[in-house]
Amino acid sequence: MFWKSVVGKLAITILLLVSFVLFILTILLLQFFENFHIEAAESDMLQTATKVSVLLEQHDSRELIAETTERVKDPASRVAILYQDNDVWVSDSVDENLSRLEENWLEREHLMSELANNSEIRKQMFLPDSETEAMIVGIPTADNQGAIFVYQSLDVIDQTKAETTKIIFLAAGIAIILTVIFAFFLSTRITSPLIKMREAAFDLTRGEFDTKVPILTHDEIGELALAFNRMGRQLKFHINALRQEKEQLSSIVSSMADGVITLNRSGDMIVTNKPAERFIESWYYENNLMENSEVRKLPDELNQILLEVIEGETEVLHEISLQGRNWVMLMTPLYDQSFVRGAVAVIRDMTEERRLDKLRKDFIANVSHELRTPISMLQGYSEAIVDDIAETKEQKNELGQIIYEESLRMGRLVNELLDLARMEAGHQQLQVEEIEVEPYLNRIVKKFSGLASEGNINIELKKDLEKPTARFDPDRMEQVLINLIDNAIRHTCEEGHVTVYASNDTSEFSIVVKDSGSGIPEEDLPFIFERFYKADKSRARNDKKKGTGLGLAIAKNIVDSHQGIITVKSKINEGTAFTIRLPHKENS
């Protein structure tokens, strides 16, 4: 709306102000000119009366006086002369509505008595037997025995007043028109820079910080435009600084491996990263709750930690177990000066650390257990020899053979531990060569023909070789295959079979070692490649099933060092299949 804009308000204000001033001025001018015209007319009539009074004093001829009076008076007025003998003479007038005065009317209106009390009278009144209003002036004669009255109709004054009013209203109209033009010019001149600043302000709200307001004047509005442009530059600088800081903080939070949650006092989650969102999802899933994406509220149990942080104004450490994983939450208060406005929670998944601690403890226990048995046997049988319990040479040889086998077992355990440590530390260098696959596999499988025959187990090699060669470390891969085939034979009953499948195409070289043995329990499959892990929880030993529990861990490290994959599938009493996949690499 026009009147709601600054231009309209300023123009209407100026127009109303000028109109009010003109209205007051018009009333005052009309009153002034009305009084001025009346006073001027009365002064003229008094001068006429004075002239007639002088004639009366200098001449006695009434005819001469009447003739002279007719000449000196205004044609539109009348002169009434009251002589000493109360005779009244009234002059003629061009105004037919101006009636003649009579002695009785003069007495009735008390004009003579008023004249006796004053040197002159000035009055406005209606004429006798007429509706014509006239103004009358009168003065006494020189001898105070008579009076001279001059009067004329107010219609003449009214006509003059009307003309004056027209002139005043015309001037006022012209003044108002000029005021309107001036008001619009002035308001447009003033508000044009303001409109440009408003448009520039809207541009700033849309992020267009390069917008500048033109400086058209050098007054206060020009200084305002200059200050606005300076504000825009400062705002752009600070917004860019805040954006960079926000992006930097967002990148830091997003790249953190730990979960981060920023909370206000009400428990609303303001900022979260991916690990924190996974933690919250696990929490809702664990407690059978539906997560509301619109209302990002902290769960009630965790909200108790937030209340503890806010009330105590101190950081709180809390450990939580969810879905088999261990989480540690450290919540620290956020301050707005001295007021706690919220908190930031850092959530760390400690599952792997806990698992490594457990593996370290289990490793020490397993190594101690594996070494204790052969050490005990070495100690016991050596004491038997020292104490001459074994009397015959055959008995001593038998005890020596046992001591020798147990020392070999201890040596294998130590060597495997050293190999595994070197592999995990990355100190083991592979000697990769271009190997003929078929003779290489035939040689390895042939090594186990005797062991398979002893157990009445059928072992065979099946090949599907599109390429005759593959690149790998032959010694290390032979170590892997010997371990897998040996395990397969040892865990396969009589009349069983062990099959080695080999395929070599353009993408990878794969080997599958499959047996029809006892299989591996399903709950043990995820841990089969860990050190010292054995599916035989009782750790039972017999002549056929001896091992350190490190073979599969070493095999996995060797395959990983070839950037390959080893997997296992097994069913109880149906058998186990280990699969090795080595990708082909040019000149690796």
Side-chain angles (χ1 to χ4, degrees):
M1 295 296 181
F2 171 75
W3 56 85
K4 291 184 178 180
S5 64
V6 176
V7 176
K9 291 178 180 179
L10 185 59
I12 292 174
T13 301
I14 295 174
L15 184 60
L16 290 177
L17 180 61
V18 173
S19 299
F20 177 75
V21 172
L22 288 177
F23 175 73
I24 300 298
L25 185 60
T26 300
I27 293 176
L28 295 176
L29 285 175
L30 289 175
Q31 188 67 31
F32 169 76
F33 281 114
E34 182 179 1
N35 295 334
F36 174 77
H37 290 307
I38 291 175
E39 290 178 358
E42 289 177 349
S43 297
D44 289 341
M45 289 187 295
L46 282 174
Q47 288 180 3
T48 302
T50 303
K51 291 177 182 179
V52 173
S53 175
V54 172
L55 286 174
L56 288 175
E57 184 180 355
Q58 294 178 356
H59 302 282
D60 294 331
S61 175
R62 294 187 177 185
E63 293 179 358
L64 179 61
I65 294 172
E67 182 180 356
T68 304
T69 301
E70 290 288 351
R71 291 179 179 178
V72 299
K73 75 176 185 63
D74 188 349
S77 62
R78 287 184 186 271
V79 178
I81 302 174
L82 181 62
Y83 291 98
Q84 295 179 359
D85 54 2
N86 293 327
D87 183 19
V88 177
W89 175 83
V90 180
S91 67
D92 295 330
S93 176
V94 296
D95 189 358
E96 296 178 356
N97 295 324
L98 200 63
S99 61
R100 294 177 177 271
L101 298 182
E102 298 176 354
E103 182 182 0
N104 294 335
W105 184 82
L106 294 173
E107 293 292 339
R108 188 172 64 246
E109 294 295 333
H110 306 289
L111 293 179
M112 294 302 296
S113 61
E114 290 183 14
L115 190 59
N117 297 327
N118 299 289
S119 60
E120 62 181 32
I121 62 172
R122 298 183 183 189
K123 297 194 68 174
Q124 297 177 14
M125 56 193 309
F126 288 97
L127 297 177
D129 300 328
S130 173
E131 294 181 357
T132 302
E133 188 177 8
M135 54 180 178
I136 300 174
V137 299
I139 60 173
T141 59
D143 55 3
N144 291 326
Q145 298 299 317
I148 301 169
F149 295 96
V150 181
Y151 61 97
Q152 70 178 16
S153 175
L154 286 176
D155 292 339
V156 178
I157 302 300
D158 292 338
Q159 291 177 1
T160 305
K161 178 181 177 182
E163 293 297 328
T164 305
T165 302
K166 289 180 181 179
I167 295 173
I168 292 175
F169 279 125
L170 179 61
I174 294 173
I176 289 176
I177 293 173
L178 293 176
T179 301
V180 171
I181 296 173
F182 170 76
F184 276 100
F185 172 77
L186 179 62
S187 58
T188 304
R189 180 83 174 174
I190 294 175
T191 57
S192 178
L194 297 180
I195 292 174
K196 294 184 180 297
M197 278 187 271
R198 181 191 64 183
E199 295 174 352
F202 286 149
D203 292 339
L204 289 181
T205 59
R206 292 191 295 267
E208 300 175 6
F209 299 107
D210 294 328
T211 303
K212 291 185 178 180
V213 179
I215 302 174
L216 304 177
T217 60
H218 298 284
D219 52 6
E220 289 82 355
I221 295 178
E223 293 177 357
L224 178 61
L226 183 63
F228 186 91
N229 292 335
R230 187 180 297 112
M231 180 195 69
R233 291 193 299 269
Q234 292 295 324
L235 187 60
K236 179 181 179 181
F237 173 77
H238 291 298
I239 290 294
N240 289 335
L242 289 175
R243 183 184 295 112
Q244 292 175 1
E245 185 176 352
K246 181 180 179 181
E247 291 175 354
Q248 181 179 1
L249 180 61
S250 177
S251 300
I252 293 173
V253 173
S254 300
S255 61
M256 288 180 64
D258 296 336
V260 177
I261 304 176
T262 303
L263 307 163
N264 59 15
R265 290 180 65 92
S266 302
D268 298 322
M269 293 185 288
I270 301 173
V271 177
T272 58
N273 60 357
K274 292 295 183 181
E277 291 174 359
R278 289 195 294 268
F279 170 77
I280 297 297
E281 290 174 1
S282 299
W283 177 276
Y284 278 99
Y285 182 81
E286 179 78 14
N287 293 273
N288 297 321
L289 298 175
M290 295 296 295
E291 185 176 3
N292 191 347
S293 59
E294 295 181 358
V295 181
R296 293 169 55 84
K297 298 286 290 185
L298 195 67
D300 293 337
E301 291 80 357
L302 301 182
N303 202 35
Q304 297 298 324
I305 304 175
L306 175 62
L307 294 177
E308 184 178 350
V309 171
I310 293 174
E311 293 175 358
E313 297 187 8
T314 182
E315 61 182 27
V316 175
L317 185 65
H318 193 75
E319 189 165 347
I320 304 168
S321 295
L322 290 175
Q323 295 291 298
R325 305 192 71 83
N326 297 318
W327 304 82
V328 174
M329 174 185 287
L330 178 63
M331 191 175 293
T332 306
L334 291 176
Y335 289 93
D336 183 3
Q337 294 181 355
S338 61
F339 176 73
V340 179
R341 61 180 178 87
V344 58
V346 178
I347 305 169
R348 173 168 294 182
D349 187 356
M350 300 295 292
T351 306
E352 188 65 21
E353 285 79 356
R354 299 287 190 270
R355 189 183 71 84
L356 292 176
D357 290 341
K358 184 176 182 300
L359 286 177
R360 184 172 63 253
K361 294 176 182 178
D362 291 345
F363 174 78
I364 296 173
N366 290 328
V367 171
S368 301
H369 181 85
E370 293 294 336
L371 291 176
R372 183 175 58 187
T373 300
I375 289 175
S376 298
M377 296 182 69
L378 289 174
Q379 181 180 359
Y381 288 117
S382 61
E383 287 179 355
I385 295 175
V386 171
D387 295 340
D388 290 331
I389 296 176
E391 297 178 353
T392 64
K393 183 177 180 181
E394 290 78 6
Q395 290 177 338
K396 292 181 179 180
N397 290 337
E398 183 179 355
L399 295 178
Q401 182 66 29
I402 294 174
I403 292 173
Y404 174 72
E405 291 178 356
E406 292 300 324
S407 64
L408 291 178
R409 181 180 172 188
M410 290 178 61
R412 287 196 305 272
L413 175 62
V414 172
N415 290 331
E416 288 178 354
L417 284 174
L418 292 174
D419 290 342
L420 187 59
R422 282 195 295 267
M423 291 177 188
E424 291 180 347
H427 296 159
Q428 190 72 26
Q429 297 295 327
L430 297 178
Q431 302 297 325
V432 179
E433 302 175 9
E434 193 77 25
I435 304 298
E436 292 284 342
V437 175
E438 185 171 359
Y440 177 79
L441 294 177
N442 287 333
R443 178 175 59 82
I444 293 175
V445 173
K446 189 175 181 181
K447 287 184 178 181
F448 291 93
S449 59
L451 181 62
S453 299
E454 291 179 3
N456 197 17
I457 297 172
N458 180 31
I459 182 171
E460 61 177 325
L461 172 65
K462 294 183 178 181
K463 304 177 289 294
D464 181 14
L465 306 176
E466 296 181 11
K467 289 181 61 178
T469 62
R471 292 183 61 82
F472 54 85
D473 187 330
D475 294 335
R476 291 300 174 186
M477 286 305 301
E478 181 176 352
Q479 183 180 355
V480 174
L481 293 175
I482 289 175
N483 184 279
L484 296 179
I485 297 172
D486 182 70
N487 286 341
I489 294 174
R490 291 179 182 278
H491 291 82
T492 301
C493 300
E494 294 185 0
E495 304 297 332
H497 59 270
V498 175
T499 307
V500 178
Y501 298 90
S503 66
N504 188 26
D505 54 24
T506 57
S507 60
E508 66 179 14
F509 170 48
S510 64
I511 302 174
V512 179
V513 179
K514 184 177 182 182
D515 63 63
S516 59
S518 58
I520 301 172
E522 183 178 353
E523 62 272 13
D524 293 327
L525 286 176
F527 312 100
I528 201 68
F529 293 107
E530 292 185 4
R531 291 176 292 182
F532 297 109
Y533 192 87
K534 297 179 182 180
D536 183 9
K537 299 299 188 299
S538 64
R539 300 184 184 269
R541 292 288 183 269
N542 53 44
D543 293 338
K544 195 176 181 180
K545 296 182 181 180
K546 291 183 179 180
T548 61
L550 296 174
L552 291 178
I554 294 174
K556 186 177 186 307
N557 273 278
I558 293 174
V559 174
D560 289 343
S561 64
H562 284 80
Q563 297 183 357
I565 299 174
I566 182 170
T567 58
V568 60
K569 294 180 180 178
S570 181
K571 288 185 179 180
I572 295 296
N573 298 325
E574 292 186 13
T576 303
F578 285 89
T579 302
I580 301 171
R581 290 187 175 89
L582 302 180
H584 287 307
K585 290 192 175 183
E586 298 297 332
N587 300 324
S588 58

